[in-house]
């Protein structure tokens, strides 16, 4: 069974927002280099040299894994069509975060750190507002979206909650709390 239109829309969001940094319609190593620069800007220099080197090594591993899974024609470029085909195969067998491709799993701490600029392990409302603003998400009501993320204050927005939302963003066939990472209410 293939992906529905809503799933394709979410996968397109991840392609455009998380990976195609230069907006040329494909993913290449240069997009990963731009990603590092952007996160350094967003985190206002809070990345140490060790963080930077670790991030670069992690992104090099991610790029190799993504290319190995999606670059069908082996041209060192992952097109939208190749990316979508990879996700159609992945989602068919994905039951948990642990089933996501290695490159997706290794990306989670990096993406979370992009939100948790204070480094305290919890994304508060102000940090989430800054994330939406810095990454130009079209979020009409940030406090309402944050309320969904925290289930009305019952759940802490930590790395574990991020993992859950990230998995749901990538795999859910319908609107749910995973949409909040796009700045949208379910």
């Amino acid at each position: 069974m293939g992906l529905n239109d809503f799933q394709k829309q979410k996968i397109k969001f991840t392609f455009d927002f998380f990976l195609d940094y230069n907006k040329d319609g494909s993913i290449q190593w240069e997009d990963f280099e731009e990603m590092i620069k952007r996160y350094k800007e967003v985190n206002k220099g809070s990345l140490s040299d060790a963080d930077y080197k670790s991030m670069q090594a992690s992104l090099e591993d991610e790029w190799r894994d993504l290319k190995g899974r999606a670059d069908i024609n082996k041209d060192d470029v992952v097109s939208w069509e190749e990316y979508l085909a990879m996700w159609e195969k992945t989602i068919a067998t994905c039951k948990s975060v642990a089933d996501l491709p290695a490159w997706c799993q290794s990306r989670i701490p990096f993406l979370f750190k992009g939100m948790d600029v204070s480094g305290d392990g919890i994304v508060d409302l102000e940090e989430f507002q800054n994330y939406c603003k810095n990454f130009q998400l079209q979020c009409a009501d940030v406090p309402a979206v944050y309320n969904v993320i925290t289930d009305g204050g019952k759940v802490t927005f930590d790395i574990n909650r991020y993992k859950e939302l990230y998995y749901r963003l990538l795999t859910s066939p319908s609107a749910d709390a995973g949409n909040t990472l796009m700045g949208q209410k379910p």
Side-chain angles (χ1 to χ4, degrees):
M1 182 175 158
L3 301 177
N4 67 35
D5 288 343
F6 183 73
Q7 286 174 301
K8 289 177 185 177
Q9 177 186 359
K10 292 192 311 179
I11 296 300
K12 180 69 169 146
F13 171 83
T14 67
F15 181 89
D16 293 339
F17 182 74
F18 290 123
L19 295 166
D20 183 15
Y21 270 75
N22 65 9
K23 306 301 179 212
D24 67 353
S26 64
I27 306 167
Q28 303 165 58
W29 171 245
E30 291 78 18
D31 291 299
F32 285 78
E33 291 175 321
E34 184 62 32
M35 192 181 311
I36 293 170
K37 290 179 195 171
R38 185 112 177 254
Y39 272 83
K40 284 177 90 172
E41 290 169 12
V42 168
N43 286 296
K44 297 175 183 34
S46 67
L47 291 177
S48 68
D49 286 342
D51 286 338
Y52 178 80
K53 287 178 183 174
S54 174
M55 183 183 300
Q56 181 149 2
S58 176
L59 288 176
E60 288 169 357
D61 290 343
E62 285 180 35
W63 173 236
R64 278 191 294 278
D65 188 47
L66 173 59
K67 256 190 346 184
R69 291 174 186 271
D71 186 15
I72 296 166
N73 63 4
K74 306 296 182 209
D75 64 352
D76 289 335
V77 175
V78 175
S79 69
W80 161 242
E81 293 78 14
E82 289 172 320
Y83 187 72
L84 181 61
M86 178 204 65
W87 277 109
E88 286 176 335
K89 290 178 194 170
T90 300
I91 290 175
T93 60
C94 195
K95 304 293 182 221
S96 72
V97 172
D99 296 328
L100 290 172
W103 70 269
C104 279
Q105 292 183 51
S106 64
R107 171 168 290 262
I108 291 170
F110 171 62
L111 293 172
F112 182 77
K113 186 173 179 113
M115 285 188 188
D116 180 28
V117 294
S118 70
D120 65 358
I122 297 170
V123 176
D124 61 30
L125 176 58
E126 181 180 347
E127 287 171 317
F128 186 69
Q129 285 174 318
N130 288 334
Y131 161 79
C132 290
K133 178 183 168 197
N134 290 335
F135 290 100
Q136 301 165 353
L137 293 176
Q138 303 301 316
C139 187
D141 189 352
V142 174
V145 172
Y146 187 80
N147 194 48
V148 172
I149 291 171
T150 63
D151 193 18
K154 295 182 229 163
V155 178
T156 301
F157 190 11
D158 59 10
I159 187 82
N160 291 323
R161 179 65 171 161
Y162 186 88
K163 285 178 187 178
E164 175 190 345
L165 295 173
Y166 188 67
Y167 171 76
R168 289 164 68 174
L169 169 66
L170 295 172
T171 63
S172 176
S174 59
D176 71 6
N179 294 359
T180 59
L181 296 183
M182 298 187 301
Q184 300 173 6
K185 292 191 295 186

